[in-house]
């Protein structure tokens, strides 16, 4: 048993080392990526399922790694969050999305709000209102066409974030609560912070065609949002059936592969042009 225990421990330790090394390698590459501008924003349409009209877009970061090709955020955002790299990346995202929104406006394309993601850590450890004010000043973007997506974990610290959120709202930015229903946030937090939009997480949408219970849950989330005078949008909508059930339940704003996958800016501009 002793031998086993030791072997088990050694195995565990080796695995830890690999993971640590991997994390350090990613961190190292991320530093370079920021300098070398290897990041790119993809845009996923938000659509009114009743008529297929584009009502917005979400910016999602991609990393064009020189050796590994396109890397999804799931593979590096958490690493970035564990170091202060997330602040640099977040700043890049804010500036890039502001610049893009301004360009689309100047090109006379349909003006729809574009959202971007901000992680809790970024919210707590960087001066986000200053970063966003600077991005607006430098790009001349219209903040009322920009929306910040936060997760419930940010709302767990209402005292710390309330003044920052108020400042960001005062500049004109919209605020969306991402992955609604998946965190621990109590409904009480929703009252304290001015949220414009609630995004229903795809885990609640997945099975609504098969599970009556899931329909009831989604309907509860939707009516919570609407009763609090917030807009509501469903994420991860992959079928027409899901979109129909959602719309019948009061949520006709959808985002998901059924309506469009995240795509390069140039392709998203084409969608805006056609609408
Ligand atoms: P999220 O904010 O919840 O973004 C939605 C994710 O779901 C995206 O994955 C999107 O591609 C995916 N998705 C959209 N529609 C569907 C669908 O119909 N089915 C399925 N299965 N998936 C769908 P992505 O782009 O890989 O991003 C993953 C997460 O990484 C995001 O989740 C967000 O938390 C984070 N992230 C992305 N970009 C940024 C960023 O610029 N900054 C920060 N801090 N986090 C980001
Ligand atoms: Ca999001
Ligand atoms: Ca989400």
């Amino acid at each position: 048993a002793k031998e086993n225990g030791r072997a088990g421990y050694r195995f565990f330790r080796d695995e830890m080392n690999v993971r640590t090394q991997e994390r350090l390698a990613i961190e190292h590459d991320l530093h370079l990526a920021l300098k070398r501008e290897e990041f790119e924003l993809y845009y996923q349409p938000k659509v009114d399922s009743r008529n297929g009209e584009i009502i917005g877009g979400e910016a999602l970061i991609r990393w064009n790694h020189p050796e590994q090709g396109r890397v999804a955020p799931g593979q590096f955002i958490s690493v970035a969050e564990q170091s202060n790299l997330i602040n640099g990346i977040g700043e890049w995202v804010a500036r890039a999305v502001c610049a893009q929104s301004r360009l689309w406006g100047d090109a006379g394309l349909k003006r729809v709000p574009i959202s971007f993601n901000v992680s809790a850590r970024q919210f707590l450890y960087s001066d986000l209102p200053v970063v966003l004010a600077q991005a607006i000043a430098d790009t001349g973007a219209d903040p009322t066409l920009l929306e910040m997506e936060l997760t419930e974990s940010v709302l767990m610290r209402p005292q710390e974030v309330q003044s920052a959120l108020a400042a960001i709202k005062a500049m004109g930015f919209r605020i969306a609560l991402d992955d609604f229903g998946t965190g621990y946030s109590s409904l009480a937090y929703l009252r304290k912070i001015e949220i414009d939009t609630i995004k229903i997480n795809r885990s609640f949408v997945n099975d609504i065609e098969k599970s009556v219970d899931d329909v009831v849950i989604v309907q509860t989330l939707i009516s919570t949002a609407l009763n609090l005078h917030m807009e509501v949008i469903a994420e991860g909508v992959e079928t027409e059936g899901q979109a129909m059930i959602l719309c019948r339940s009061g949520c006709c704003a959808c985002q998901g592969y059924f309506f469009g996958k995240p795509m390069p800016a140039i392709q998203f501009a084409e969608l805006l042009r056609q609408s």
Side-chain angles (χ1 to χ4, degrees):
K2 217 174 181 181
E3 288 298 295
N4 267 345
R6 226 180 260 152
Y9 174 67
R10 192 181 313 127
F11 173 73
F12 179 65
R13 208 176 53 182
D14 287 347
E15 195 170 71
M16 285 286 285
N17 282 335
V18 169
R19 275 206 218 125
T20 305
Q21 275 165 24
E22 232 173 59
R23 191 166 56 77
L24 289 174
I26 296 174
E27 258 187 59
H28 171 263
D29 284 5
L30 281 172
H31 271 291
L32 291 178
L34 264 176
K35 278 197 215 139
R36 297 180 183 163
E37 305 250 349
E38 290 168 5
F39 296 114
E40 179 179 0
L41 291 180
Y42 270 37
Y43 295 86
Q44 185 177 32
K46 298 177 181 179
V47 172
D48 182 336
S49 65
R50 289 167 297 189
N51 52 24
E53 239 179 75
I54 299 192
I55 52 171
E58 176 176 4
L60 294 155
I61 197 169
R62 298 292 180 265
W63 178 8
N64 297 312
H65 192 286
E67 283 120 42
Q68 288 168 45
R70 181 152 312 116
V71 185
Q75 288 168 266
F76 66 90
I77 286 291
S78 75
V79 175
E81 279 171 348
Q82 287 163 44
S83 68
N84 61 5
L85 276 161
I86 193 63
N87 296 330
I89 294 173
E91 197 169 332
W92 180 85
V93 168
R95 301 181 76 84
V97 82
C98 287
Q100 188 58 261
S101 170
R102 168 78 202 257
L103 277 174
W104 286 336
D106 287 353
L109 300 179
K110 184 176 181 191
R111 293 162 72 83
V112 294
I114 305 293
S115 66
F116 58 99
N117 294 280
V118 167
S119 56
R121 165 140 187 154
Q122 209 181 325
F123 217 89
L124 295 170
Y125 298 107
S126 72
D127 197 346
L128 215 48
V130 170
V131 168
L132 294 178
Q134 196 63 51
I136 290 296
D138 292 348
T139 59
D142 176 357
T144 63
L145 289 176
L146 294 161
E147 183 172 68
M148 184 168 70
E149 294 196 6
L150 311 167
T151 53
E152 289 173 57
S153 56
V154 173
L155 303 189
M156 304 276 287
R157 316 276 285 267
Q159 326 80 278
E160 286 103 320
V161 301
Q162 212 159 354
S163 66
L165 269 175
I168 291 165
K169 277 255 26 150
M171 282 185 252
F173 285 89
R174 297 170 51 89
I175 298 187
L177 184 57
D178 207 351
D179 302 337
F180 185 60
T182 60
Y184 302 96
S185 89
S186 85
L187 293 175
Y189 292 142
L190 292 181
R191 271 189 298 135
K192 294 210 176 119
I193 282 158
E194 274 183 87
I195 288 158
D196 300 284
T197 312
I198 273 176
K199 299 192 76 177
I200 296 176
N201 186 249
R202 94 162 160 268
S203 58
F204 299 109
V205 172
N206 266 340
D207 297 326
I208 50 174
E209 286 169 294
K210 285 162 267 163
S211 157
V212 179
D213 287 350
D214 282 16
V215 173
V216 171
I217 291 171
V218 155
Q219 285 174 343
T220 305
L221 296 174
I222 293 169
S223 52
T224 301
L226 298 178
N227 287 334
L228 291 166
H229 308 293
M230 295 167 187
E231 289 176 24
V232 62
I233 180 164
E235 297 188 293
V237 180
E238 295 183 350
T239 70
E240 188 170 19
Q242 289 168 343
M244 277 168 54
I245 294 167
L246 286 159
C247 197
R248 250 188 272 132
S249 307
C251 177
C252 305
C254 288
Q255 182 182 349
Y257 294 168
F258 178 70
F259 296 99
K261 291 193 170 180
M263 59 188 82
I266 192 155
Q267 240 171 287
F268 188 79
E270 203 43 54
L271 279 186
L272 288 178
R273 193 164 292 124
Q274 286 159 13
S275 74

